[in-house]
Amino acid sequence: MTAASDTRPVAGDAETAIRTRRSTIRLTGPAPGPDELLDLLAAAATAPDHGQLRPWRVIAICGDARVRLGEAAAEAAPTADLAERIAAKHLRAPLMLGLVFQPRDHPTIPRWEQLAATSAMATTLLLLLDVRGWGGVWFGGPYPDAPQVRKHLGLGGDEQLLGYLYVGTPVPGEASRLRATADVRAKLSWLGGATA
């Protein structure tokens, strides 16, 4: 056994983390600070990513910046009542992470593959947050393509907002939502017969 393999986690630990992770809807403070968030992102960036293009960026939104983003999104709402609800959604967690897809022109790595890499990073980040005791949930977010939201976040012409990770501390006493193990037999097929 090499020294490098000594530092790898036990497979069962990773599987337990994956099987027990749940989206946490009700969140309160605190949330990860800048140093921990950078560490989490560095770990999440190891997710599958052909060519290591890292075709994404993350915008951390906290404090009054959530209010201002909520106001920008509310401008896109068709009614005043809906605008008020849209603005409030931006205050449901102490930290919002805007997930921005930044596709790159590449001769052999198509856009769909870069989007898959971005999704893999976000999923890995959610898993890492959960393992460290933070709560998180990925929501598409209200009006992610609205010009007001794009301008407020400074999105470039080819960038796409994939929604937000809402991050914070799970509200004490909230029961974890149970998820039944999926029956995936119909989702698996073999060509050439099953291996032993």
Side-chain angles (χ1 to χ4, degrees), residues 4-196:
S5 64
D6 290 341
T7 63
R8 295 179 64 97
V10 176
D13 294 342
E15 183 175 351
T16 298
I18 291 166
R19 288 182 179 271
T20 58
R21 189 208 68 79
R22 298 291 178 269
S23 295
T24 307
I25 306 296
R26 297 193 59 207
L27 298 162
T28 188
D35 290 341
E36 184 173 9
L37 185 55
L38 278 173
D39 186 54
L40 286 161
L41 279 176
T46 66
D49 182 354
H50 184 195
Q52 297 182 5
L53 297 181
R54 294 189 178 85
W56 48 265
R57 65 186 179 100
V58 175
I59 304 170
I61 308 153
C62 59
D64 289 342
R66 296 171 304 150
V67 174
R68 293 189 294 276
L69 176 59
E71 291 168 351
E75 288 178 21
T79 67
D81 180 52
L82 185 55
E84 189 174 314
R85 290 196 315 244
I86 292 301
K89 286 179 187 265
H90 293 78
L91 302 176
R92 65 173 71 179
L95 176 64
M96 295 172 64
L97 301 177
L99 301 173
V100 181
F101 176 44
Q102 287 184 310
R104 310 280 172 83
D105 289 328
H106 196 281
T108 61
I109 304 175
R111 183 183 176 105
W112 72 262
E113 194 171 345
Q114 295 179 45
L115 181 58
T118 302
S119 297
M121 181 283 298
T123 302
T124 302
L125 180 56
L126 276 172
L127 180 60
L128 290 165
L129 285 162
D130 189 76
V131 166
R132 290 198 187 180
W134 300 109
V137 60
W138 187 352
F139 283 126
Y143 309 115
D145 294 322
Q148 299 92 327
V149 172
R150 294 184 60 82
K151 180 179 178 183
H152 186 81
L153 293 175
L155 299 185
D158 201 31
E159 291 186 321
Q160 180 183 358
L161 179 64
L162 300 179
Y164 307 96
L165 297 188
Y166 290 79
V167 180
T169 300
V171 171
E174 285 288 302
S176 179
R177 296 181 302 148
L178 298 177
R179 181 183 299 156
T181 301
D183 182 353
V184 296
R185 287 174 291 189
K187 299 294 184 181
L188 175 65
S189 59
W190 290 87
L191 296 178
T195 60

